[in-house]
């Protein structure tokens, strides 16, 4: 079996890349170790940067997003109940974000791929890249008990944090940077109207909370919880009671509650693998980097990786320029590190680190807490400060190839 680009992973990175390559007639095959239903069962991101929205339109998968998604012109930061709105549209000169669940855009991409009858192998086992430093790499895998070899020109490792691609880069060449946070996020989905028309990121003496949404009738909430907490520790009633303690009082007083339709606890980490390329293997999205979701950057950094790799593949196959492939890692990492820093900064300001000194603070915990409160007050208290937050949140422009 032969293709031009072998894509490992059928999450948003792999599907978006495959769809874009197809618009340029660049053949690609997607391999995933699970099936589509399992992928669609993973509740994840909810905010798309303008760059992602533009890519979805370019890939021809934006119709439902444009009809059912909600453009958000701002969001709020609440400090112990004091609310400050970050007016994205005014502060950035017109930029906004799209509130549309990752599950939905992934479903749209899967439907488009199926309609285009593009080759996709779900439940592929033992997916293994080979000879990625040569000009004839290939990927082997087992499907329905049969062994396959997929010859290709390039391998896109879109297989997430626990995938095989990153491990293909020899340990002595790979540098992995990691910061694990001393808390997790308890995510909660319920079919109740959102408590506010825009997102509210709230810090309080009880810890962090986020009020997000999926539609006019479906809300998505998060609470900072200790890493030792288990889902069974959190009844719906306990969740709503704790959420109301952390959100602004006027919002808590009027919000609608109801039974959870999904509850999960996710650990938080900042992680970057350098380089993001090894010969003809390219790491894309969570395969190369992870951010704490406080800045709504995870899915959006995956999209900017896809945009860069798509530009490179288009130049390789349309202009015969193979030199440009060496630009991938540097271009991708510049935007990744910016997104990592913003996500770390938002997480550091908005969460209660308790007695944790592992974050390099090395100071008495209350002093660190006062520093972070002062930093957030400074940024919220000045238009320049709010502008910095706004332009980071909508996402910096994608970098072009040289
Ligand atoms: P994904 O992990 O989505 O997809 C990788 C795919 O590769 C999977 O389908 C997997 O089955 C497959 N795979 C793995 N190993 C393989 C192998 N050996 N062979 C074949 N296939 C293999 N981001 C935000 O912006 N906001 C959020 O609120 C947010 N919340 C999150 C909550 C959780 C619990 C998690 C885990 C992530 C969250 N993220 C959030 C980040 C998330 O949205 C990712 O950025 C996004 O899924 C990245 O997409 P992919 O790079 O495609 O990786
Ligand atoms: C979500 O809706 O899941 C969401 C939104 C913004 C974030 C994190 C998660 O920063």
């Amino acid at each position: 079996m032969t293709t031009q680009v072998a894509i490992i992973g059928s999450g948003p990175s792999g599907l978006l890349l495959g769809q874009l390559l197809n618009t340029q007639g660049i053949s690609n095959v997607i391999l995933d170790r699970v099936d589509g239903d399992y992928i669609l069962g993973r509740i994840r991101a909810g905010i798309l940067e303008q760059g992602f929205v533009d890519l979805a339109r370019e890939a021809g998968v934006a119709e439902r997003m444009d009809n059912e998604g909600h453009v958000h012109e701002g969001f709020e930061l609440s400090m112990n109940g004091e609310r400050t709105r970050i007016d994205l549209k005014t502060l950035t000169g017109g930029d906004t974000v799209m509130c549309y669940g990752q599950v939905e855009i992934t479903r749209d991409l899967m439907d488009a791929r199926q309609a285009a009858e593009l080759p996709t192998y779900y439940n592929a086992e033992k997916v293994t890249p080979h000879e990625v430093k040569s000009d004839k790499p290939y990927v082997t895998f087992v499907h329905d008990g049969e062994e396959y070899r997929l010859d290709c020109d390039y391998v896109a490792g879109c297989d997430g944090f626990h995938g095989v691609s990153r491990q293909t880069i020899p340990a002595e060449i790979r540098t992995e940077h990691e910061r694990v946070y001393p808390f997790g996020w308890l995510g909660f989905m319920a079919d109740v109207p959102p408590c506010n028309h825009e997102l509210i990121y709230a810090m309080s003496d009880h810890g962090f909370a986020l009020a997000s949404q999926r539609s006019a009738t479906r809300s998505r909430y998060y609470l900072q919880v200790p890493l030792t907490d288990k889902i069974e520790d959190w009844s719906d009633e306990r969740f709503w009671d704790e959420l109301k303690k952390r959100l602004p009082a006027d919002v808590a007083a009027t919000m609608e509650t109801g039974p959870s339709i999904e509850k999960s606890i996710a650990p938080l980490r900042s992680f970057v693998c350098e380089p993001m390329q090894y010969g003809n293997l390219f790491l894309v999205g969570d395969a190369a980097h992870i951010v704490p979701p406080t800045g709504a950057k995870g899915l959006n950094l995956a999209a900017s990786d896809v945009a860069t790799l798509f530009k490179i593949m288009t130049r390789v196959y349309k202009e015969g320029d193979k030199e440009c492939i060496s630009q991938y890692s540097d271009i991708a990492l510049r935007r990744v590190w910016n997104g990592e820093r913003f996500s770390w900064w938002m997480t550091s300001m908005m969460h209660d680190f308790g007695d944790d000194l592992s974050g390099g603070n090395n100071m008495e915990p209350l002093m660190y807490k006062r520093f972070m409160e002062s930093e957030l007050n400074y940024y919220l208290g000045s238009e320049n400060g709010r502008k910095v937050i706004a332009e980071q949140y909508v996402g910096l422009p994608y970098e072009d190839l040289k």
Side-chain angles (χ1 to χ4, degrees):
M1 193 180 343
T2 299
T3 192
Q4 289 171 309
V5 181
I7 299 174
I8 305 177
S10 177
S13 294
L15 289 164
L16 182 58
L17 177 63
Q19 209 56 28
L20 287 165
L21 292 175
N22 187 51
T23 65
Q24 295 303 309
I26 299 169
S27 66
N28 61 89
V29 174
I30 289 184
L31 310 171
D32 202 300
R33 64 181 170 189
V34 296
D35 64 24
D37 289 341
Y38 182 89
I39 293 166
L40 293 174
R42 298 184 309 215
I43 307 292
R44 289 188 172 167
I47 293 293
L48 306 182
E49 291 176 353
Q50 189 60 48
F52 195 125
V53 171
D54 295 343
L55 280 179
R57 290 176 180 148
E58 186 176 357
V61 297
E63 187 181 349
R64 197 163 71 97
M65 176 187 70
D66 285 330
N67 289 333
E68 297 176 18
H70 294 268
V71 173
H72 281 209
E73 298 184 357
F75 70 95
E76 290 188 28
L77 292 169
S78 161
M79 278 187 70
N80 291 316
E82 187 181 343
R83 302 167 69 170
T84 303
R85 181 169 185 265
I86 304 295
D87 182 346
L88 296 173
K89 191 165 186 177
T90 306
L91 291 165
T92 63
D95 289 344
T96 56
V97 292
M98 175 73 80
C99 190
Y100 188 66
Q102 173 174 326
V103 170
E104 303 316 319
I105 192 70
T106 302
R107 189 191 316 278
D108 297 336
L109 284 161
M110 281 183 181
D111 291 348
R113 187 166 184 89
Q114 190 172 16
E117 297 181 338
L118 299 179
T120 310
Y121 290 82
Y122 288 115
N123 300 313
E125 300 169 71
K126 299 179 184 172
V127 176
T128 310
H130 302 272
E131 306 293 325
V132 294
K133 288 289 274 184
S134 79
D135 59 4
K136 292 201 177 305
Y138 63 96
V139 179
T140 56
F141 63 99
V142 176
H143 190 257
D144 288 345
E146 205 170 326
E147 294 189 359
Y148 289 85
R149 169 176 165 141
L150 174 62
D151 289 293
C152 55
D153 299 331
Y154 301 101
V155 180
C158 303
D159 48 349
F161 185 65
H162 301 290
V164 64
S165 298
R166 188 171 70 248
Q167 311 307 324
T168 304
I169 302 179
E172 62 273 17
I173 290 180
R174 203 168 76 225
T175 302
E176 297 190 352
H177 309 269
E178 184 168 55
R179 156 78 159 124
V180 178
Y181 294 88
F183 40 75
W185 275 20
L186 166 57
F188 187 101
M189 190 88 91
D191 280 333
V192 293
C195 66
N196 192 54
H197 69 294
E198 293 176 331
L199 272 61
I200 302 176
Y201 294 78
M203 74 171 291
S204 76
D205 290 338
H206 296 269
F208 170 83
L210 169 60
S212 184
Q213 53 196 262
R214 289 293 180 270
S215 70
T217 58
R218 178 165 288 190
S219 297
R220 176 77 171 159
Y221 291 109
Y222 295 93
L223 289 180
Q224 169 189 350
V225 294
L227 283 174
T228 49
D229 274 15
K230 302 273 180 295
I231 275 297
E232 47 272 19
D233 300 334
W234 285 89
S235 68
D236 289 2
E237 185 186 4
R238 182 187 176 197
F239 182 89
W240 290 117
D241 288 347
E242 187 61 28
L243 182 67
K244 289 180 178 179
K245 290 175 189 169
R246 301 187 188 185
L247 291 178
D250 52 338
V251 168
T254 56
M255 71 189 298
E256 229 180 285
T257 64
S260 59
I261 56 174
E262 189 270 348
K263 261 189 293 196
S264 55
I265 295 179
L268 269 61
R269 74 178 78 237
S270 298
F271 174 89
V272 179
C273 171
E274 293 179 320
M276 289 177 53
Q277 175 187 352
Y278 180 64
N280 291 313
L281 168 70
F282 302 90
L283 301 186
V284 182
D286 278 20
H289 42 75
I290 298 287
V291 284
T294 325
K297 288 298 159 216
L299 181 55
N300 292 299
L301 288 175
S304 54
D305 295 347
V306 167
T308 301
L309 188 53
F310 172 54
K311 287 173 193 164
I312 287 172
M313 290 291 105
T314 303
R315 190 179 286 184
V316 164
Y317 287 107
K318 298 295 180 192
E319 301 172 27
D321 167 10
K322 289 193 175 184
E323 290 305 306
C324 68
I325 67 169
S326 61
Q327 296 182 46
Y328 175 73
S329 192
D330 288 347
I331 291 177
L333 282 169
R334 271 192 286 276
R335 201 168 188 281
V336 164
W337 277 114
N338 186 70
E340 289 281 345
R341 188 198 50 75
F342 177 67
S343 304
W344 161 81
W345 182 65
M346 286 283 280
T347 304
S348 300
M349 289 192 304
M350 303 290 293
H351 288 71
D352 182 347
F353 281 69
D355 296 335
D356 174 71
L357 292 177
S358 68
N361 316 322
N362 295 322
M363 65 179 80
E364 163 269 317
L366 188 55
M367 183 175 194
Y368 177 71
K369 186 176 168 73
R370 292 287 180 266
F371 274 11
M372 288 299 109
E373 286 168 350
S374 162
E375 173 135 349
L376 188 55
N377 270 319
Y378 169 72
Y379 274 86
L380 296 183
S382 84
E383 185 179 351
N384 287 340
R386 292 193 296 276
K387 204 172 268 189
V388 166
I389 294 173
E391 71 176 19
Q392 290 283 353
Y393 195 82
V394 299
L396 300 182
Y398 291 174
E399 188 176 332
D400 283 330
L401 305 184
K402 290 177 184 61

